[in-house]
Amino acid sequence: MKIIGTGSALPKKSVTNDMLSEFLDTSDEWITTRTGIKTRHIITDERFEDLATEAAARAIDAAGLCPDDIDYIICSNVSNYFVTPHLSSLIQGGLGIKGPGCPTMDVNVACVGFVYALDLCDALLSTGRAHNILLVAAEECTRFCDWTDRNCSVLFGDGAGAVVVSKGDSLISCRLTSVPMPDVIVYRNPMEPTPFETGEGVDVHMPLQMKGREVFRMAVSSASRDIQQVVADAGLELGDIDHFLLHQANLRINEAIRENLGQPEEKFPTNVQRFGNTSSASIPLLLDEGIREGKIRRGHKVLMSAFGAGFVTGTLILKY
Ligand code: COA
């Protein structure tokens, strides 16, 4: 595969830490020192599927294509008002792609969804099943936070990033992992009770729960391990990588990974300060910004690495 266009979109409302401290027992000082986050965009009266469609349209435009050139749509998504129909189908409708020759599917691999889906795109393109795939990572995680709980709600933001990928030989190496650890980050959808329930073994709905310190430790150790592995698999040195696009959950996590790797700060772009943790959208948002600012250029070696609920990780290197 190769990436031929990128795009992104953010909700219009930007919320500062001080705005949160008006109704939560928190402070700008606590959030900034523990996470690096200063502001995040939060969805208000926009329709989430419109935001995702906007990012998609920009990526298609940047690729020099029109929507009807797209023959596969994949959407990475954890949180979404619609359980069904799936978000990629709504995006297809929003773009005016009539089908039927354009399959759509969503993948949910938590914050790692974009990296997993890029690997999937490579498989679809190399077998000739698709020619121009639209991959959108769109998240509204702020909708599954308990806004009376200062532990989780201050961490997240909403946003969408998109790429168009077509056939090419950009992907250099990739490592995807999954280890079942259901308690470290968990959110269960509210479900309608059936008349057959006994009440035993039925979990009540609960907002997002997270073991922050455990996630922090696992994120640093797994990303440091995976990054060194994919670089070695590619026959490269860490110094050959031009940009390290790490999942943006916490600036301190990324700083610890960077220190483990002994690489300079300018190779690690960040957006968590402005956008919070946008789950699987964080890496495509970084990518789009880096390309638009002219920092990520053709021929550069770009490493992407993410971790998230599961516990899952995904790391890849591509030549942009
Ligand atoms: N404002 C003020 N105080 C807060 C707070 C907030 N928003 N959130 C938690 N606290 C308090 C806690 O209640 C605790 O108080 P106590 O000592 O009186 O019990 C104190 O701050 C310390 O909490 P602790 O959990 O030790 O902080 P921490 O340094 O581990 O930072 C996280 C907490 C969540 C920021 C950090 O663990 C983290 O980022 N983990 C990774 C989470 C993540 O990335 N998840 C997404 C993965 S995709």
Side-chain angles (χ1 to χ4, degrees):
M1 61 89 162
K2 70 166 187 253
I3 293 173
I4 60 166
T6 63
S8 53
L10 291 159
K12 58 182 181 296
K13 184 152 187 82
S14 175
V15 174
T16 64
N17 294 339
D18 285 337
M19 287 158 84
L20 297 181
S21 62
E22 284 170 20
F23 62 92
L24 282 173
D25 180 16
T26 189
S27 64
D28 176 50
E29 197 268 333
W30 193 96
I31 301 171
T32 306
T33 51
R34 302 290 175 120
T35 71
I37 300 167
K38 297 297 273 183
T39 58
R40 71 286 289 145
H41 289 258
I42 295 187
I43 199 144
T44 51
D45 47 9
E46 297 111 325
R47 292 194 331 170
F48 177 62
E49 57 273 28
D50 292 345
L51 198 74
T53 305
E54 198 179 320
R58 287 184 181 149
I60 295 169
D61 193 47
L65 300 179
C66 61
D68 283 330
D69 295 323
I70 300 297
D71 57 5
Y72 216 116
I73 304 178
I74 301 177
C75 188
S76 161
N77 175 251
V78 179
S79 57
N80 168 17
Y81 178 58
F82 280 91
V83 173
T84 195
H86 49 300
L87 191 55
S88 46
S89 158
L90 296 172
I91 294 170
Q92 180 188 27
L95 290 169
I97 302 172
K98 291 199 175 61
C102 176
T104 58
M105 80 165 142
D106 287 9
V107 296
N108 174 352
V109 199
C111 302
V112 193
F114 181 73
V115 176
Y116 263 67
L118 266 184
D119 184 54
L120 184 61
C121 288
D122 191 61
L124 289 167
L125 290 160
S126 62
T127 53
R129 285 201 164 81
H131 298 95
N132 293 311
I133 305 177
L134 170 66
L135 166 56
V136 187
E139 305 283 10
E140 52 176 341
C141 291
T142 60
R143 293 262 192 226
F144 63 25
C145 293
D146 172 358
W147 283 92
T148 63
D149 172 14
R150 64 183 184 174
N151 286 295
C152 286
S153 54
V154 304
L155 303 175
F156 291 95
D158 304 322
V163 293
V164 177
V165 284
S166 64
K167 197 163 182 177
D169 56 2
S170 273
L171 188 61
I172 300 175
S173 66
C174 176
R175 177 180 160 86
L176 308 179
T177 76
S178 181
V179 177
M181 299 179 75
D183 295 336
V184 289
I185 307 173
V186 55
Y187 174 76
R188 290 193 288 263
N189 270 329
M191 288 288 191
E192 299 299 330
T194 72
F196 309 105
E197 274 173 25
T198 60
E200 281 170 38
V202 177
D203 293 317
V204 290
H205 168 63
M206 61 176 199
L208 181 67
Q209 310 269 309
M210 186 169 60
K211 294 182 178 161
R213 287 189 171 191
E214 208 172 328
V215 174
F216 195 113
R217 277 195 299 273
M218 290 196 304
V220 174
S221 61
S222 60
S224 306
R225 173 203 68 201
D226 291 352
I227 290 170
Q228 299 190 62
Q229 182 73 55
V230 292
V231 169
D233 290 349
L236 297 171
E237 306 280 334
L238 284 167
D240 295 326
I241 304 297
D242 296 296
H243 309 277
F244 292 84
L245 308 190
L246 305 186
H247 171 47
Q248 304 285 299
N250 181 322
L251 210 53
R252 284 165 54 223
I253 293 180
N254 293 4
E255 194 48 29
I257 297 168
R258 188 182 74 74
E259 276 173 18
N260 283 347
L261 300 173
Q263 291 298 301
E265 212 175 318
E266 59 270 20
K267 287 189 176 186
F268 290 74
T270 56
N271 65 27
V272 70
Q273 303 94 321
R274 289 168 289 141
F275 303 160
N277 180 348
T278 52
S279 188
S280 72
S282 82
I283 289 180
L285 283 167
L286 275 181
L287 179 70
D288 185 48
E289 196 167 58
I291 290 169
R292 280 171 202 278
E293 287 176 354
K295 291 179 182 153
I296 300 177
R297 295 190 291 277
R298 288 285 169 205
H300 280 182
K301 292 191 185 69
V302 178
L303 182 144
M304 302 177 184
S305 186
F307 56 85
F311 189 80
V312 287
T313 70
T315 302
L316 59 78
I317 303 172
L318 56 83
K319 190 169 165 203
Y320 176 63

